[in-house]
């Protein structure tokens, strides 16, 4: 009986969250894109510093940029909250953003056209830069046949809404069930499809590779897939140019070495991914997703020891 009640309570909570999601989406869709974006930025710029995530972001900045002073960190924290607020407010409006010819510029679009024309399967990699939803939309709009991976929301009602929202601008989301080397991704690459994965979040049990001078556990899946199929890692990033306008950058591909030592080759690939992500963050630090614990507990403990 208690399990039934718990299940009923869980579904009731999920439906309440879904109602709040619908309300937020409805309000945002009533507004012009630039108004909604600016309002989201202003709101989170003021509310974000009151949350527990603010302390996490501050500690992350201290780890990544130990040479910067308090004034610099305060400025980046304020800007990253505004950036995150804009991004959240833009999610319900991505169909309008993507389908508007003057809102998304793609740098090195020719590379995507080559991938699409040759049906050349690649492993797209990126991180949570600016409005990261721009990247999968840009890939799909360019004609590349690609499996866009994502982490399914815990709330199935909200997850269904997310998938439906992305469907409006052509993105079909796929949530791997079997870890970072899911069978479905292997099957996609075998048939000539590309796959796209985020590779900048903490992955317990992953490869411990340098990231801003500290070891960070990173998913080896993208590197493993690229090595297995003899293809490249294709980095992409997103930058905000002005208001709700963006530039998606298609970077030079990362060609992985095949030395015969698979473990060493995977570690080398992960290090190169971390270096690429770090390089992009250093260029535009306010546009990265600082509000998650990227490093190990040991890194944060060393920060506390230095503050003592």
């Amino acid at each position: 009986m208690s399990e039934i009640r718990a299940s009923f309570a869980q579904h009731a909570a999920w439906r309440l969250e879904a109602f709040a999601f619908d309300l937020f989406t409805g309000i945002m869709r009533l507004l012009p894109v630039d108004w909604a974006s600016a309002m989201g930025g202003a709101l989170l710029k003021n509310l974000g510093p009151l949350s527990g995530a603010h302390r996490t972001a501050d500690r992350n900045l201290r780890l990544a940029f130990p040479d910067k002073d308090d004034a610099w960190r305060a400025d980046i924290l304020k800007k990253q909250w505004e950036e995150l607020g804009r991004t959240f407010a833009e999610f319900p409006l991505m169909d309008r953003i993507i389908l508007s010819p003057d809102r998304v510029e793609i740098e090195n679009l020719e590379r995507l056209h080559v991938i699409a024309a040759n049906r050349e399967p690649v492993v797209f990699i990126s991180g949570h830069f600016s409005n990261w939803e721009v990247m999968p939309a840009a890939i799909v709009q360019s004609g590349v046949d690609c499996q866009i991976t994502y982490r399914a929301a815990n709330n199935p009602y909200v997850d269904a809404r997310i998938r439906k929202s992305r469907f409006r601008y052509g993105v079909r989301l796929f949530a791997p069930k079997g870890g970072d080397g899911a069978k479905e991704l292997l099957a996609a690459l075998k048939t000539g499809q590309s796959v796209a994965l985020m590779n900048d979040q903490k992955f317990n049990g992953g490869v411990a590779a340098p990231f801003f001078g500290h070891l960070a556990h990173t998913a080896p899946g993208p590197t493993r897939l690229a090595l297995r199929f003899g293809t490249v890692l294709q980095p992409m990033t997103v930058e905000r140019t002005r208001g709700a306008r963006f530039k998606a950058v298609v970077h030079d591909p990362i060609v992985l070495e095949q030395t015969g030592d698979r473990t060493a080759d995977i570690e080398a690939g992960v290090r190169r991914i971390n270096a690429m992500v770090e390089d992009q963050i250093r260029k535009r630090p306010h546009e990265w997703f600082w509000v998650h614990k990227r490093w190990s507990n040991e890194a944060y403990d060393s920060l506390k020891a230095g503050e003592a």
Side-chain angles (χ1 to χ4, degrees):
M1 184 66 70
S2 62
E3 290 183 2
I4 294 175
R5 281 198 298 267
S7 177
F8 177 81
Q10 179 64 82
H11 279 274
W14 280 339
R15 289 186 183 279
L16 185 61
E17 289 176 355
F19 172 76
F21 183 90
D22 288 342
L23 181 62
F24 174 75
T25 297
I27 292 172
M28 291 300 103
R29 291 189 69 81
L30 287 174
L31 300 173
V33 171
D34 290 309
W35 289 17
S37 175
M39 186 175 75
L43 189 64
L44 210 55
K45 183 169 66 173
N46 288 288
L47 295 181
L50 304 179
S51 70
H54 187 78
R55 182 169 182 268
T56 298
D58 181 64
R59 293 171 72 200
N60 285 337
L61 283 169
R62 289 176 184 273
L63 283 172
F65 297 97
D67 56 324
K68 299 297 186 181
D69 59 22
D70 292 346
W72 183 89
R73 282 196 309 275
D75 181 59
I76 296 298
L77 284 168
K78 180 175 67 174
K79 289 178 179 176
Q80 70 92 33
W81 278 121
E82 181 177 7
E83 179 67 33
L84 197 54
R86 282 182 175 272
T87 298
F88 287 161
E90 290 159 357
F91 281 169
L93 305 170
M94 285 305 300
D95 57 326
R96 299 181 194 170
I97 291 173
I98 294 301
L99 299 178
S100 177
D102 66 338
R103 288 193 180 275
V104 179
E105 166 196 359
I106 303 179
E107 184 176 303
N108 197 15
L109 178 60
E110 317 82 59
R111 171 62 181 153
L112 294 183
H113 287 162
V114 167
I115 295 170
N118 296 344
R119 282 190 60 81
E120 169 192 343
V122 302
V123 179
F124 286 97
I125 55 168
S126 189
H128 292 78
F129 301 106
S130 186
N131 185 333
W132 52 88
E133 287 293 319
V134 170
M135 187 198 74
I139 292 172
V140 171
Q141 292 289 320
S142 70
V144 176
D145 189 4
C146 186
Q147 290 272 11
I148 306 294
T149 65
Y150 83 116
R151 181 189 179 280
N154 294 330
N155 183 327
Y157 302 110
V158 171
D159 189 64
R161 287 159 169 77
I162 291 172
R163 295 171 70 91
K164 182 179 179 181
S165 174
R166 276 38 172 195
F167 190 87
R168 285 200 296 264
Y169 49 94
V171 172
R172 311 293 187 267
L173 296 174
F174 164 69
K177 295 291 192 294
D180 63 342
K183 293 179 183 178
E184 293 89 344
L185 297 182
L186 298 175
L189 286 162
K190 285 179 181 177
T191 60
Q193 288 181 292
S194 295
V195 299
L197 307 98
M198 293 292 195
N199 208 188
D200 64 336
Q201 304 284 283
K202 184 179 181 182
F203 188 87
N204 291 327
V207 174
F211 188 57
F212 283 97
H214 307 277
L215 292 180
H217 291 277
T218 307
T223 301
R224 187 179 288 133
L225 287 169
L227 287 169
R228 177 164 178 172
F229 287 91
T231 188
V232 298
L233 295 169
Q234 179 58 65
M236 282 187 69
T237 56
V238 178
E239 301 173 3
R240 188 180 298 275
T241 56
R242 177 173 58 87
R245 287 171 169 77
F246 306 91
K247 179 167 67 174
V249 182
V250 186
H251 298 274
D252 291 337
I254 297 175
V255 180
L256 299 172
E257 289 189 85
Q258 299 259 22
T259 67
D261 185 338
R262 183 50 59 92
T263 299
D265 291 345
I266 290 172
E267 290 177 352
V270 171
R271 286 196 297 271
R272 292 182 69 181
I273 292 172
N274 277 8
M276 181 278 296
V277 173
E278 179 178 332
D279 181 60
Q280 294 305 308
I281 294 171
R282 287 187 180 279
K283 292 176 181 176
R284 304 174 72 88
H286 63 289
E287 289 189 348
W288 193 55
F289 190 76
W290 288 100
V291 295
H292 73 290
K293 290 185 67 174
R294 180 63 182 94
W295 288 275
S296 65
N297 290 333
E298 289 76 16
Y300 293 106
D301 288 343
S302 69
L303 188 63
K304 290 179 184 177
E307 292 172 347

